Amino acid sequence: MTKKKISLVFVTKQAVEYYDNTGFFDAVINLFEVSVLKLPSFALGVKGVDENDLPPLDFGSLTDILKYIKEKASLRLNDKLFENKNHHLYAPYRHTKGLKQGLKFWFINVMSYFLASKKGVDFLERQMHKLIRKSIFYKTVLQCYKNTKPDLVYITHQTTSYTLGVSLVAKDLNISTVCFIYSWDNIVKGNKLVKADYYYVWSDYMKQELLQYYADEVMADKIFVVGTPQFHHYSNHDALIAKKVFFK
C-alpha cells in the first residue's frame, strides 16, 4: 500500500528538538512518506526524512509594514469586540533607531487606528498575500510542492512569514494544512498569519480562545486538543538521574 505524503515545516531548531523528544518523527515515518521544509540554519538529522531548506524571504519591506499594521489593527479591533480592553498592550515594543525608523513605526501606529475593523484587517491581509504570491520564495515553494505533491502540509508555527508563505502555496494547490499553535498565549496577540484547514492546540482553553477570536474562520470540529511537545520530556522517566549524581 502506497503511503500518503506529508510535508513538515519547521522554522526553529527548538521545535525540532521538542518533536524529536516525543517520538513524533518515528511515528510519522511509519504512517507517511515524510519530507521537511526547514530553515537552512539547522539540520534535522532524522533517518527516513527528505529534508530541504526553505528559500530566503524576499517579500519586501512593504509586506513587513503591512504585517505590523495588521497585528496592531487586530489588537485594537479586539479591544473593541471583547470585554478585555488591553489587547493593544500585547503589541511588542519596538526600539527605533533614527528618524526614518521612528517615522516608519509612527506611520504603522497611526494606520492601525484607521484600519482597526474587520474590513480593515481583511484588506491588509489581502494586500500581504498579493505581494507574497509575487515573491521568489512563493514561486520556489510552489515548484517544490508541484514536484513532491504532498497530501498534507503540517505547519509548526502560525506567526512567521516563512510559514505564511508556505501556507499560501498549499492553499493555492489545494493541499490540506494542519497548523500547530506554537504557544499557550499566542492566540490573543493578533499575530496569527497562517490560515489552516485544521488546528492543533495545547488545551481546551486554547480551543475556546481560537473559536472566540477567529469565529469567522475556524470551526470547532477542525480544532484538536493534542497537548504540547514542549513539555513531553518531563514525563520521560528514562531521562531522570540519581539524586546523588545531580548534586555531585
Side-chain angles (χ1 to χ4, degrees):
M1 181 178 177
T2 304
K3 291 181 178 179
K4 289 195 172 183
K5 298 179 180 180
I6 184 171
S7 173
L8 311 176
V9 185
F10 286 94
V11 291
T12 67
K13 175 64 174 176
Q14 192 178 47
V16 172
E17 293 171 350
Y18 291 157
Y19 279 83
D20 194 27
N21 286 334
T22 68
F24 171 83
F25 293 110
D26 291 336
V28 172
I29 289 169
N30 286 332
L31 296 172
F32 297 95
E33 182 180 329
V34 182
S35 62
V36 170
L37 287 178
K38 61 169 190 64
L39 293 189
S41 57
F42 58 86
L44 202 69
V46 177
K47 290 183 179 180
V49 172
D50 178 27
E51 55 181 279
N52 295 282
D53 291 340
L54 286 161
L57 285 180
D58 65 326
F59 296 165
S61 57
L62 179 56
T63 307
D64 283 338
I65 290 172
L66 290 170
K67 182 174 73 172
Y68 290 140
I69 297 173
K70 176 181 176 290
E71 180 179 340
K72 280 184 171 288
S74 296
L75 292 172
R76 297 191 192 285
L77 174 60
N78 289 339
D79 279 348
K80 296 176 184 178
L81 296 177
F82 300 107
E83 187 175 345
N84 175 10
K85 304 302 178 184
N86 295 316
H87 290 86
H88 63 280
L89 299 178
Y90 291 124
Y93 174 74
R94 303 188 188 280
H95 181 69
T96 58
K97 295 180 180 179
L99 179 61
K100 184 177 179 180
Q101 197 174 55
L103 287 172
K104 171 185 171 181
F105 284 102
W106 172 83
F107 173 77
I108 288 169
N109 197 47
V110 170
M111 291 304 296
S112 71
Y113 279 100
F114 289 107
L115 294 166
S117 64
K118 185 66 174 65
K119 286 184 178 180
V121 171
D122 287 345
F123 168 78
L124 291 165
E125 186 173 73
R126 288 195 303 272
Q127 299 311 306
M128 283 175 55
H129 292 179
K130 285 180 182 178
L131 291 172
I132 290 171
R133 286 186 169 103
K134 295 177 181 179
S135 69
I136 295 173
F137 177 96
Y138 173 88
K139 293 172 184 176
T140 303
V141 177
L142 181 71
Q143 190 59 52
C144 174
Y145 278 171
K146 281 183 176 180
N147 293 338
T148 58
K149 296 180 173 59
D151 299 289
L152 180 69
V153 174
Y154 181 82
I155 297 169
T156 57
H157 207 304
Q158 79 286 355
T159 69
T160 75
S161 296
Y162 288 101
T163 48
L164 170 59
V166 173
S167 71
L168 289 178
V169 170
K171 179 180 179 181
D172 292 344
L173 292 176
N174 295 314
I175 303 170
S176 296
T177 51
V178 177
C179 184
F180 182 81
I181 302 298
Y182 191 73
S183 189
W184 65 272
D185 62 346
N186 285 176
I187 295 170
V188 300
K189 291 184 175 180
N191 59 359
K192 186 174 84 67
L193 296 175
V194 173
K195 285 187 174 181
D197 297 303
Y198 305 93
Y199 292 90
Y200 287 175
V201 296
W202 294 26
S203 63
D204 289 322
Y205 184 84
M206 286 178 67
K207 179 176 181 176
Q208 292 307 312
E209 275 193 332
L210 196 57
L211 289 169
Q212 181 182 18
Y213 282 85
Y214 296 94
D216 61 334
E217 175 191 333
V218 183
M219 294 183 291
D221 62 347
K222 306 297 184 184
I223 307 172
F224 300 88
V225 177
V226 298
T228 173
Q230 184 172 337
F231 303 125
H232 181 83
H233 63 283
Y234 289 114
S235 63
N236 181 11
H237 296 292
D238 293 335
L240 293 175
I241 61 176
K243 186 176 180 179
K244 288 182 179 179
V245 176
F246 179 80
F247 285 104
K248 193 173 182 179

